[in-house]
Amino acid sequence: FVGLPSSSKASRFTGSNGLRFGGAASVVRNGVHLQTAIVAFSDMKNDTDATSVVLYSSDDGFSYSYLSTIASAADNPWSDEGPNEHAMELLADGSLLVVFRIDCGDGPNFHPFVPYWQTRSRDGGKSWDAPVPSPGAPGCAYPHLLRLESGPLLLSGGRSLYAGTNDNDLWVSWAGDGSAWERHAISAAHNALAPAGTPEFDPTRVNATMPECAGAQTVAYTSLVARGASSAVIGYDMTSLHCENHTGFAMLVEFTQ
């Protein structure tokens, strides 16, 4: 791997030469492998100052080079964490959309919880629009994106403490471009559809502004997998008080015109 515009703090993400791939994404576009990563550049003051970048490979992943910076800690000095966990998806028009976490309680100073931000590239990841808050998608924990063949664009995540909820959420962009997001609370669907005897979400814990493992009922880390042209499976968790135990669940989501 070559080409980072600045040296990285190898100690920030141990064992990865300063690069973190957990919480990142990959897309193949026109035969080019695009792989995102999270990096802490050595010229930033705090170890928590994260920046999200794109790497590319034209040899089927054998080697990678730096392509661009999606969103940087330097451009967002107000953030405690910097742009870190994120999702990237190839949209129907060939552009790329990235939704990223910028603050979700792990910063060194004020531990804020801030809604997702997002940005778009129309030239294969070489440059990116100025990031903006995701419209109608107030989650803050590790987001996931999935575009269905039938058109809708899905976004999963959660931990929206500033909005009075710490739920697992699924947002839908019916236009398929992230210009607007419609929220669906996973806990409500879980409680309505789960078979008898299945543990249920407690609304008093779901709707309490408590961070994970301090009374909340989920860490709001999710997954999204396509099942068909108009359906997907969302994975989500339920935790016991103080996170002594985690239980994983999966739910099928189908879309009809």
Side-chain angles (χ1 to χ4, degrees):
F1 167 74
V2 295
L4 277 181
S6 177
S7 61
S8 61
K9 298 178 182 178
S11 60
R12 175 67 175 96
F13 301 119
T14 304
S16 58
N17 297 318
L19 294 173
R20 171 185 164 184
F21 294 100
S26 59
V27 164
V28 178
R29 182 183 184 274
N30 297 332
V32 175
H33 293 240
L34 300 175
Q35 173 65 55
T36 64
I38 305 166
V39 60
F41 287 127
S42 57
D43 56 356
M44 297 306 295
K45 180 175 63 175
N46 299 316
D47 276 348
T48 52
D49 289 331
T51 288
S52 293
V53 300
V54 182
L55 319 175
Y56 75 95
S57 173
S58 300
D59 55 10
D60 293 327
F62 182 77
S63 62
Y64 282 86
S65 298
Y66 169 82
L67 180 61
S68 66
T69 295
I70 301 169
S72 71
D75 290 339
N76 297 276
W78 53 270
S79 170
D80 244 18
E81 299 177 20
N84 56 99
E85 296 171 339
H86 55 264
M88 179 171 65
E89 183 61 289
L90 181 65
L91 303 186
D93 65 358
S95 65
L96 295 163
L97 178 70
V98 167
V99 176
F100 60 89
R101 161 181 172 163
I102 195 161
D103 274 317
C104 199
D106 292 337
N109 300 311
F110 306 107
H111 310 292
F113 292 82
V114 176
Y116 296 134
W117 282 49
Q118 64 186 53
T119 180
R120 198 164 171 180
S121 173
R122 294 169 174 81
D123 57 8
K126 296 176 183 177
S127 64
W128 297 86
D129 295 344
V132 296
S134 298
C140 84
Y142 183 11
H144 288 267
L145 284 169
L146 176 65
R147 180 173 67 88
L148 297 178
E149 292 180 21
S150 59
L153 178 66
L154 311 182
L155 168 64
S156 67
R159 205 186 300 170
S160 309
L161 270 71
Y162 47 81
T165 178
N166 196 346
D167 206 344
N168 297 290
D169 290 310
L170 178 69
W171 293 272
V172 182
S173 170
W174 294 102
D177 59 2
S179 58
W181 297 101
E182 178 182 279
R183 176 181 180 253
H184 299 267
I186 295 301
S187 65
H190 173 99
N191 288 354
L193 299 173
T198 303
E200 295 189 356
F201 284 96
D202 179 352
T204 62
R205 291 176 64 191
V206 168
N207 297 314
T209 54
M210 298 176 288
E212 73 277 16
C213 301
Q217 206 169 0
T218 177
V219 296
Y221 272 40
T222 61
S223 61
L224 278 175
V225 179
R227 187 176 180 270
S230 301
S231 62
V233 173
I234 179 171
Y236 56 98
D237 81 303
M238 180 187 295
T239 68
S240 59
L241 197 62
H242 307 305
C243 293
E244 291 95 345
N245 298 293
H246 293 260
T247 304
F249 294 94
M251 182 185 300
L252 176 65
V253 183
E254 296 183 294
F255 296 84
T256 57
Q257 300 296 328

